[in-house]
């Protein structure tokens, strides 16, 4: 929330004639906040300056007071008595318009005034400010007071940063104290959030305080992009370091690489090698690096190198701000852990005009050579930031609480364009067909859920019962510490049977195209299996495995006999892809539906309630909605047939009359009885499936079959694996009844 959100939206007439009590209260709270942060620090702690970028705490306390004295009391409070005319020189930071100043790198040399005298200075100015605030103030005065308070909040954060930097320089590694702000882990597993982009508006909206640099609000054109829902963690940073990230120039900007050389960077600021591991200095003292906490104290150069190493990029300022405005709930750690580097230079928004008067120097003159950071840090006072807030630092600076959130361009379209392509191509073919994957829009997915509950549709029921029976035996094949990668995970319901039986799993990576299903399922699994590292991966696993963890043994899980929806050649290439991805010691658990009596099969795809018919016909509804089609659903009927030669149930949509349909401006004529082939569902024999698996480099290590109507669960191991099992030879096969 912006600091003055609870202010009246506009000044009412009555307000203008009364002291602003809200502003009085805020003034007192902010000023007291600075003293509270300084209170546990000794006079010596408050005196020293650790480097030119940092300032002594005592100087911060005096400078923020000077701001109110110089910009408010002197010009606006009649008969104000300046506390000490020499302070203007000592505590002016950078305002050319108000005169000369003491050099910044020498602030630590100011042993006078003492810390006690600075407190007296604060009390003097606070008493005068109480007089100013005790009368009604005009809008311009109120805006300046708000600016002074936001300025003091920025210095509160600087106190935390500077004191940590000072303590880090001490061999004693002192702690501020046990109650100092500590970084927190993300509340949920990381994920990608897709944002459509377009012409979007960024910049401060009126109605609350904002710095001049956040204005004016303006249009920006954004392509579709993805933003990580969580911050980059120390664990990910360690992987970058382990992969020689600080020693490989290919990831670094030229200026960044020069810094790495000159300053000997090999880890974030404050990290120290501790035998085989790393520790870090925090405000609560030294501690070992927590892999789950967000990485902090990295420069823009390091953030950009990490992004390059990850094959991703930093978000632009506009991407970050737009995402934080339109979809804040999709993200974790937007505000309140670390500031997040963006790829955007700190330059004026189009149409920017600095604030009038000396305070116009506050932001405008720094608009070159720095980069924008968004969000807020743990040490940022609550309520200080907002989506339009623009923090800025030089690209090499590291003592801020700065980290990063990754972004990437949206993956190549698998949406409407691919759907249109497949439908137009499929309807134009001599034998019309549309790939079955297009069944699963929201309505189609809901209908499929209903199919799974139908009395005639045995595969789900049988496989679930089989899995419940054999989960322990199945789990015994999975190596300790493995990550289970579930392909087409959906609601991850069956998975729990396996997870319960395999406490030795260390991770779970559900892979699904549906972001909503994925996020809900991953959050529920993460909640119920707290020791499991859950890494949801939004991907079409037939096209990409990007995001699936690379480290540790992997076991792929592909239940639901979905492999039956692939032709034998497609199934072989899918399984070969999985094998390549898992490596020679990977394990692949697949569910298949087995060949059986034709009548039983056809009943499963021709249920009495007509749910499968609705599922099939929903494809036409989807075409009508998404591709401007005019299919008359009354003109087509659901047909399921058993193709004995191919060993598959086929689903078709049969034209009931002569008719012409338009889709995307193209016309397609149908004669009665002509069909659109919409799905294949192959029913395998164990031997037939084993030979497909073998073509893909797999060997059946174990197969369990359910009672009739039978389905099977199969453990595949790499052909190259030197184990003792092998289906048909000395492999194991079990029927469960
Ligand atoms: C997802 N797939 C395994 C189902 C099947 O049996 O082929 C889809 C389905 N089609 C009609 N009913 C169910």
């Amino acid at each position: 929330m912006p600091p003055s959100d609870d202010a009246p939206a506009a000044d009412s007439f009555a307000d203008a004639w009364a002291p602003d009590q809200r502003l009085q209260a805020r003034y007192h709270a902010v000023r007291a906040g600075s003293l509270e942060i300084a209170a546990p620090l000794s006079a010596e702690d408050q005196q020293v300056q650790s480097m030119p970028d940092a300032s002594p705490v005592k100087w911060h306390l005096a400078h923020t007071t000077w701001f109110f004295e110089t910009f408010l009391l002197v010009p606006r409070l009649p008969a104000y008595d300046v506390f000490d005319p020499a302070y203007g020189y000592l505590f002016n930071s950078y305002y050319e318009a108000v005169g000369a100043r003491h050099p910044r790198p020498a602030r630590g040399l100011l042993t006078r005034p003492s810390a006690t005298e600075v407190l007296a200075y604060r009390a003097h100015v606070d008493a005068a400010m109480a007089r100013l605030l005790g009368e009604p103030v005009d809008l311009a005065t109120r805006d300046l007071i708000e600016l002074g308070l936001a300025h003091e909040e920025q210095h509160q954060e600087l106190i935390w940063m500077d004191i940590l930097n000072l303590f880090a320089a001490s061999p004693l590694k002192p702690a501020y104290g046990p109650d100092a702000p500590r970084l927190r882990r993300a509340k949920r597993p990381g994920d990608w959030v897709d944002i459509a982009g377009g012409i979007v508006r960024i910049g401060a909206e009126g109605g609350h305080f904002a710095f001049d640099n956040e204005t004016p609000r303006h249009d920006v054109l954004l392509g579709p992009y993805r933003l990580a829902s969580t911050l980059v963690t120390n664990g990910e940073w360690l992987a970058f370091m382990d992969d020689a990230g600080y020693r490989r120039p290919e990831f670094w900007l030229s200026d960044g690489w020069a810094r790495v050389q000159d300053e000997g960077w090999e880890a974030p600021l404050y990290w120290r090698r501790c035998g085989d591991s790393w520790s870090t200095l925090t405000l609560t003292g030294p501690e070992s690096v927590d892999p789950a906490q967000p990485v902090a104290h990295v420069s823009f150069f390091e953030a950009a190198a990490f992004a390059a190493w990850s094959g991703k990029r930093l978000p632009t300022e506009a991407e970050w701000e737009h995402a934080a405005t339109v979809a804040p709930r999709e993200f974790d750690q937007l505000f309140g852990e670390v500031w997040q580097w963006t790829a955007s230079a700190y330059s004026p928004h189009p149409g920017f005009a600095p604030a009038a008067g000396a305070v116009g120097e506050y932001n405008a003159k720094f608009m070159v050579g720095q980069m924008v950071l968004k969000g807020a840090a743990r040490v940022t006072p609550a309520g200080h930031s907002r989506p339009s807030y623009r923090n800025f630092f030089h690209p090499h600076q590291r003592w801020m609480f700065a980290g990063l959130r990754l972004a990437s361009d949206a993956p190549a379209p698998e949406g409407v364009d691919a759907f249109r392509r497949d439908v137009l191509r499929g309807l134009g073919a001599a034998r019309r067909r549309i790939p079955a994957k297009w069944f699963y829009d929201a309505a189609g997915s809901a209908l499929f859920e209903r199919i799974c509950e139908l009395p005639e549709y045995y595969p789900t029921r049988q496989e679930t019962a089989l899995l419940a029976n054999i989960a322990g035996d199945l789990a015994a094949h999975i190596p300790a510490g493995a990550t289970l990668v579930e392909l087409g995970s959906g609601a991850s319901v069956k998975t729990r049977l396996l997870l319960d039986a395999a406490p030795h799993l260390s991770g779970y990576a559900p892979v699904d195209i549906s972001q909503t299903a994925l996020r809900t399922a991953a959050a529920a699994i993460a909640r119920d299996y707290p020791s499991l590292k859950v890494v949801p991966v939004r991907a079409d696993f037939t096209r990409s495995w990007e995001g699936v963890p690379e480290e540790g043994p992997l076991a792929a899980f592909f239940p639901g006999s979905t492999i039956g929806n692939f032709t034998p050649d497609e199934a072989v290439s899918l399984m070969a892809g999985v094998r390549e991805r898992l490596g020679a010691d990977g394990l692949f658990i697949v569910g298949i539906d087995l060949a059986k009596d034709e009548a039983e099969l056809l009943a499963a795809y021709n249920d009495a309630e007509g749910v499968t018919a609705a599922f099939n016909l929903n494809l036409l509804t989807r075409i009508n909605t998404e591709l401007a089609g005019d299919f008359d659903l009354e003109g087509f009927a659901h047909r399921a047939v058993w193709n004995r030669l191919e060993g598959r149930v086929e689903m078709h949509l049969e034209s009931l009359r002569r008719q012409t349909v338009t889709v995307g401006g193209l016309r397609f004529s149908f004669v009665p009885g002509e069909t659109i082939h919409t799905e294949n569902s192959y029913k395998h024999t164990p031997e037939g499936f084993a030979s497909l698996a073998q073509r893909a480099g797999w060997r059946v290590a174990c197969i369990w079959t359910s009672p009739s109507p039978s389905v099977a669960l199969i453990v595949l191991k790499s052909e190259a694996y030197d184990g003792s099992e092998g289906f048909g030879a000395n492999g194991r096969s079990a029927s469960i009844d």
Side-chain angles (χ1 to χ4, degrees), residues 440 448 451 457 560-562 565 605 612 615 651 679 681 683:
Y440 300 93
F448 179 64
I451 289 176
Y457 192 76
S561 60
T562 305
N565 295 132
Y605 292 82
T612 311
F615 173 69
M651 293 213 311
E679 188 186 61
S681 204
K683 308 301 168 187

Side-chain angles (χ1 to χ4, degrees), residues 436 439-440 447-448 451-452 454 457-460 559-566 591 593 604-607 611-613 615-616 638 640 649 651 679-683:
F439 278 141
Y440 300 93
L447 285 163
F448 179 64
I451 289 176
C452 293
L454 292 169
Y457 192 76
Y458 60 85
T460 313
S561 60
T562 305
I563 202 157
N565 295 132
F566 293 75
D593 191 9
Y605 292 82
N606 260 319
D607 62 281
V611 183
T612 311
F615 173 69
N616 201 0
H638 163 70
V649 174
M651 293 213 311
E679 188 186 61
N680 290 318
S681 204
Y682 283 84
K683 308 301 168 187

Side-chain angles (χ1 to χ4, degrees), residues 5 44 221 334 357 458 460 606 628:
D5 249 1
E44 292 81 2
L221 176 62
L334 276 179
Y458 60 85
T460 313
N606 260 319

Side-chain angles (χ1 to χ4, degrees), residues 425-451:
R425 209 180 273 171
L427 291 179
R431 287 196 194 167
R432 295 180 155 139
R433 61 176 297 272
I434 296 174
K437 67 177 176 185
W438 298 115
F439 278 141
Y440 300 93
D441 64 353
S445 301
L447 285 163
F448 179 64
E449 296 290 315
R450 281 182 61 200
I451 289 176

